Amino acid sequence: MSDTADRVQKIVVEHLGVEGDKVTQEASFIDDLGADSLDIVELVMAFEEEFGVEIPDDAAEKISTVGDATKYIEEHKG
Amino acid sequence: MRRVVVTGLGLVTPLGGDVETSWQNLIAGESGAGQITRFDPEGQKATIACEVKGKDHLWGFDPDKRVDHKVQRQVDPFIVYGIDAAGQALEDAGLTDMTDAEKERTGCSIGAGIGGLPGIEIESVNLHERGPGRVSPHFVHGRLINLVTGQVQIKYGFMGPNHAVVTACSTGAHSIGDAARMIAMDDADVMLAGGAESTVNPLGIAGFAQARALNTGYNDRPTEASRPYDKDREGFVMGEGAGVVVLEEYERAKARGATIYAEVTGYGLSGDAYHVTAPHPEGKGAELAMRMALKKAGLGPGDIDYVNAHGTSTMADTIELAAVKRVLGDDLSGASMSSTKSAIGHLLGGAGAVEAVFCILAMRDGIVPPTLNLHNPDDGTEGIDLVPLKAKKREVRAVLNNSFGFGGTNASLIMQKVD
C-alpha cells in the first residue's frame, strides 16, 4: 500500500469507527462504510488537513470510494 | 388521569459510571470533587470541579459500552452521558426489545440547561483562527440540547414524543414532570426522562465564576468546597453527568411484571418573577412549586419523609430552607432534608434528574444520603435533620425533590413508594 493510501485508511478508520480491513480502495464510503453525506464533508476536511491539498466542493462530490480519495490526493498533493 | 411509575434508572455521575457505583459512593460519604483535569485551569478563579471520571478510574465511566465511536467523535460530552444513562435505564427496565407498536408509544424527554458549550468554545476558536471552511459539519447537531433525545430515539427506534426541556438548573425535574404528564395524558405509554450536562470547559467555568456563582475559595481543598447550609459555604462546585429514568403507565408496568421503583404523584412548577440569577429573597416561587406538587399528590406536610434540596452551597440555601419550612412546618414535620450536591457538585440541567434517581434509591434502600461538609450549620437550621456528614437509615415512603434555575424557574417533584 502506498504511503498516501495508508494515511487515507487511517483517517477513515478514525473518523468512521470501522475496522481497518474493511477500508479497501474499492470500498464506498456510503454503501460499505456506513458514512452519510456529512461524514464525507468531514473526511474531506481531514484529508485536506493531512495532505495540505485543497479539495473543492465539485471535486469532493465525485469522491465516493476510498480509492477516489487516494487518487485525487496523489494527483494534487504538492 | 393515568398513573405513572418509574421502572428503570440510569446514571453517569462524578461518583460513578452507573447507578449502583454512584449510589454506594454517595451513601459512603465519598466526594466527586477534585482539581480540574479536563483542561489546564491555570488563571481561572475556580480550578476545581466534580468531573465524571475516565474508564481507568475505579468509579470511571466507559463511553464505549453504549455509544458508537462515530457518535462520540461528533457530539459534546453531555450527549454521550445522556445516551449512556438512557441505555442503562432501558436495560434496567427490561425494555430493550420492544415491538414496533410499542416503540411508536415510547418517547424521550431528556434536556440540558446549557448544552454543548465545550464544542461551541472549540469551534468558535477554530472559526476565528482557521476560517469558516474548517468548522465541523457536525458542529450544530453535535451541540444542540435536544440531541440527547434525538440520538436516543434514533438508536432505539422510538417514535413517540421527542421532547427536550431547557430550564437551566430545573431542567432535569421539569423533564421528568413533563414526561409524566405526557403519559398521564395518553400521549405515550413509556418515556425516557431526565437531563444531562457537561460544561467543565474554560468558558463554562469562567462564565459561572464571573457570575459570582462558583466556589472560588477552596481551590486547595476541593472535597470541602461544596458545603450546603454550612456557615462557610461560598458558591457551588461545577458537576457534570446525566440522569435518566424510564417512566411507564402503571397498568402496563404491572401487567408485564416490571420492577416498580416509585410512582410520580406530584409535580409543581412556578416562576419567581424577580431576578435573572438571584432567587426571590423570600423563596415565594419555590414555595408555590412545592405547594402545587403536594396538592397534586394529595399529600399533607407530614407525609414527606425526605427532601432532596436544590441546596447548591450558595446563599440561596437558606432561602430554600425557609420556603420548605413554610410548606412542611418548622421542623419539616420530621422529614430529613439533604443536598447531594455536597458530593457530586451541581450538574445544572442534569441535577434534578440525578437527584430524582437518588430519591428513588433512598426509598428502595431505606437510607437517606448525607450533606457532606456540614460542620457549622447556618442560622435557621436548628431542629432540622439536614443529614450532616453521614448517611442515615430511615424508612422513606414519599420524597420531595426541588430544583430551581436562573431565570427564576422552579420545579418540585413528589414520588412515592407503590404498595
Side-chain angles (χ1 to χ4, degrees), chain A residues 14-17 34-35 38-39 41-42 45 48-49, chain B residues 69-70 73-74 126 130 133-138 141:
Chain A
E14 167 63 20
H15 281 254
L16 300 180
L38 293 179
D39 294 327
V41 174
E42 198 183 25
M45 285 170 61
E48 289 179 327
E49 191 115 324
Chain B
H69 173 90
K70 199 171 92 176
R73 282 192 61 262
Q74 295 173 354
N126 198 18
R130 301 165 71 212
R134 309 311 301 174
V135 171
S136 165
H138 301 292
H141 52 270

Side-chain angles (χ1 to χ4, degrees), chain B residues 102-134:
Chain B
E102 288 177 304
K103 288 177 183 175
E104 288 177 9
R105 297 281 298 167
T106 298
C108 287
S109 164
I110 308 171
I114 299 181
L117 199 60
I120 291 171
E121 178 177 15
I122 290 164
E123 291 294 340
S124 297
V125 172
N126 198 18
L127 169 72
H128 179 73
E129 292 182 347
R130 301 165 71 212
R134 309 311 301 174

Side-chain angles (χ1 to χ4, degrees), chain B residues 219-265:
Chain B
N219 285 333
D220 55 341
R221 291 172 287 160
T223 61
E224 297 172 34
S226 186
R227 41 197 319 123
Y229 312 105
D230 191 87
K231 278 181 178 155
D232 299 321
R233 70 190 185 278
E234 53 108 81
F236 80 81
V237 177
M238 184 74 82
E240 62 169 348
V244 175
V245 297
V246 171
L247 299 179
E248 195 166 350
E249 192 271 320
Y250 173 65
E251 296 297 340
R252 180 196 138 91
K254 203 168 69 169
R256 73 179 183 91
T259 299
I260 295 176
Y261 288 103
E263 179 172 1
V264 181
T265 55

